[in-house]
Amino acid sequence: MEPVRFAAAGRHAAEQAELPGGAFLMGDSRGDGNPGDGETPVHRVVVRPFSIDATCVTTADFAAFAEATGYRTEAELYGFSAVFHLALSARPQDVMRPVPGAPWWVGVRGADWRHPGGVLSEAEPDHPVVHVSWNDATAYCSWAGRRLPTEAEWEYASRGGLEGARYPWGDELPRDEWRVNIWQGDFPSRNTLEDGHLTTAPVRAFAPNAYGLRQTVGNVWEWCADWYAPDYYARSPEEDPRGPRRGTARVLRGGSFLCHDSYCNRYRNSARSANTPGSSMANAGFRTARDRAPSPEPGSRIR
C-alpha cells in the first residue's frame, strides 16, 4: 500500500519540544545492543533545529484525523492485527493462530486502533494510538502538516542532552520509582505490574526527560522516517542523516511495554528495530516532527 497524502489541514494538538539541533554521538556506547541490530559504530551526527511531539500521538489525536478524513488504517482494511496473548479481548472465533516463533503474539480479527485487544475492547483516548502502520503514521503526518522524525532526530531528542546514556534519564534503571513502562516478572507468561501497566500507559504517565519528551523508551515502539539497514551507521553521513535510499523495512525506536532483559532490552536510547511499512501491532505507535528555524539560544523550550 502506498502512503496516503493529504493537503495539510488538520490541527495537531500535541505539546511540542522545540530543539535547537546540534552535534551528538549516536549509537551504543555501552555494549548493550544486539550486534545484529546495527547500533554501532558510535558516530558523530549533526541535526538541524526541529520540533518534536513531547508525547506519542494519542488515540484521541488519531480519532480527530480519522473523523476529518474518513481514513481507514491498514489493520482495518486487512481485517486483523497482532495482539499480545494476555491482552486479548475478543470473541473466540476472532482469535487466529499465534505468530510462528513468537507465540505470545496472536492475530486477531477486528483488532485495530479503536479496539486494541479485539472487538470487545475500547481504546483509551489518552494512550498512544497503536495498530498503526508506518503508512498510517505518514498519512496522519500529511494531514497534520507534520512528518515522522528521522532516526537521528529521534535519538537526539530521546537522549535529552545526556551524551552516551542508556536511558533518557541516565544509566541506571530505578526500581523504587518506575520511570518506564516495560515488563516485570517472567516474560511472556507473568507480569507483576510493578510499573502499574500490563499494556500501554497514558502518554503522560511518567516524568519527561530534560528536553521535555515523555516515554521515548518503553510503552510503544515509535515509527521513524528512515528505511532500516543494520550496516547504515558505518556509512552514515555526519550532517542530518536520513537513512538508506531504499529498503524493505522502516526503523522503529524505543522498545515497548513488552521489553524485558530476558527477551528484549531495547528500551534504550540507542536501540533499533524495524518492520515492514504495512505492519501493525498492539505495541507500536508514533510521534511527529517538523523543521524549524535556527535558534540563537542554546537548550530547548517547551511550548
Side-chain angles (χ1 to χ4, degrees), residues 9 72 87 94 117-118 120 124 147 160 167 173 201 211 229 242 244 247 300:
R72 297 185 69 205
D94 293 332
L120 302 182
E124 296 288 346
R147 60 176 174 80
Y167 309 115
L173 186 65
Y211 285 169
R242 299 272 162 166
S300 62

Side-chain angles (χ1 to χ4, degrees), residues 176-279:
D176 54 341
E177 181 181 355
W178 283 93
R179 302 191 65 172
V180 59
N181 177 18
I182 56 175
W183 189 273
Q184 299 91 45
D186 302 316
F187 184 85
S189 59
R190 185 180 66 92
N191 190 333
T192 57
L193 305 179
E194 293 167 42
D195 62 16
H197 305 282
L198 175 64
T199 61
T200 59
V203 296
R204 302 181 69 84
F206 296 92
N209 72 3
Y211 285 169
L213 279 76
R214 295 177 184 268
Q215 298 193 86
T216 50
V217 301
N219 213 22
V220 295
W221 284 101
E222 300 181 20
W223 290 110
C224 291
D226 312 39
W227 289 111
Y228 170 78
D231 62 349
Y232 180 67
Y233 284 7
R235 50 191 168 92
S236 170
E238 181 177 303
E239 298 283 338
D240 195 31
R242 299 272 162 166
R245 292 186 177 181
R246 60 185 61 88
T248 59
R250 296 285 185 175
V251 171
L252 287 158
R253 284 301 208 115
S256 81
F257 60 81
L258 292 181
C259 280
H260 186 270
D261 283 348
S262 68
Y263 163 67
C264 166
N265 74 337
R266 293 188 178 98
Y267 52 97
R268 295 175 290 105
N269 289 323
S270 64
R272 311 174 74 208
S273 191
N275 209 337
T276 53
S279 296

Side-chain angles (χ1 to χ4, degrees), residues 23 36 41 47 62 86 130 183 253 263 287 293:
V47 296
F62 201 83
L86 296 183
V130 293
W183 189 273
R253 284 301 208 115
Y263 163 67
R287 69 181 75 211

Side-chain angles (χ1 to χ4, degrees), residues 21-204:
F24 77 105
L25 294 179
M26 185 173 181
D28 173 24
S29 61
R30 300 285 177 173
D32 297 320
N34 181 334
D37 290 344
E39 293 184 44
T40 56
V42 175
H43 55 294
R44 185 176 187 269
V45 166
V46 179
V47 296
R48 295 178 295 183
F50 66 102
S51 67
I52 188 168
D53 296 343
T55 70
C56 282
V57 171
T58 65
T59 301
D61 295 330
F62 201 83
F65 159 62
E67 182 177 350
T69 63
Y71 183 82
R72 297 185 69 205
T73 61
E74 292 191 289
E76 291 171 288
L77 294 174
Y78 296 154
F80 70 95
S81 190
V83 176
F84 181 62
H85 72 120
L86 296 183
L88 289 172
S89 185
R91 301 170 301 186
Q93 64 266 32
D94 293 332
V95 179
M96 304 162 69
R97 292 180 179 179
V99 174
W104 48 89
W105 283 114
V106 181
V108 178
R109 297 182 184 91
D112 57 38
W113 68 273
R114 291 186 177 92
H115 311 100
V119 295
L120 302 182
S121 65
E122 185 173 348
E124 296 288 346
D126 61 343
H127 285 229
V129 67
V130 293
H131 295 292
V132 286
S133 68
W134 185 91
N135 293 326
D136 298 329
T138 56
Y140 176 95
C141 289
S142 175
W143 170 77
R146 308 280 295 178
R147 60 176 174 80
L148 290 176
T150 67
E151 184 176 17
E153 288 172 335
W154 188 97
E155 185 169 325
Y156 170 85
S158 182
R159 289 189 176 282
L162 295 180
E163 196 76 87
R166 285 191 177 97
Y167 309 115
W169 57 84
D171 287 328
E172 301 303 321
L173 186 65
R175 299 182 185 275
D176 54 341
E177 181 181 355
W178 283 93
R179 302 191 65 172
V180 59
N181 177 18
I182 56 175
W183 189 273
Q184 299 91 45
D186 302 316
F187 184 85
S189 59
R190 185 180 66 92
N191 190 333
T192 57
L193 305 179
E194 293 167 42
D195 62 16
H197 305 282
L198 175 64
T199 61
T200 59
V203 296
R204 302 181 69 84

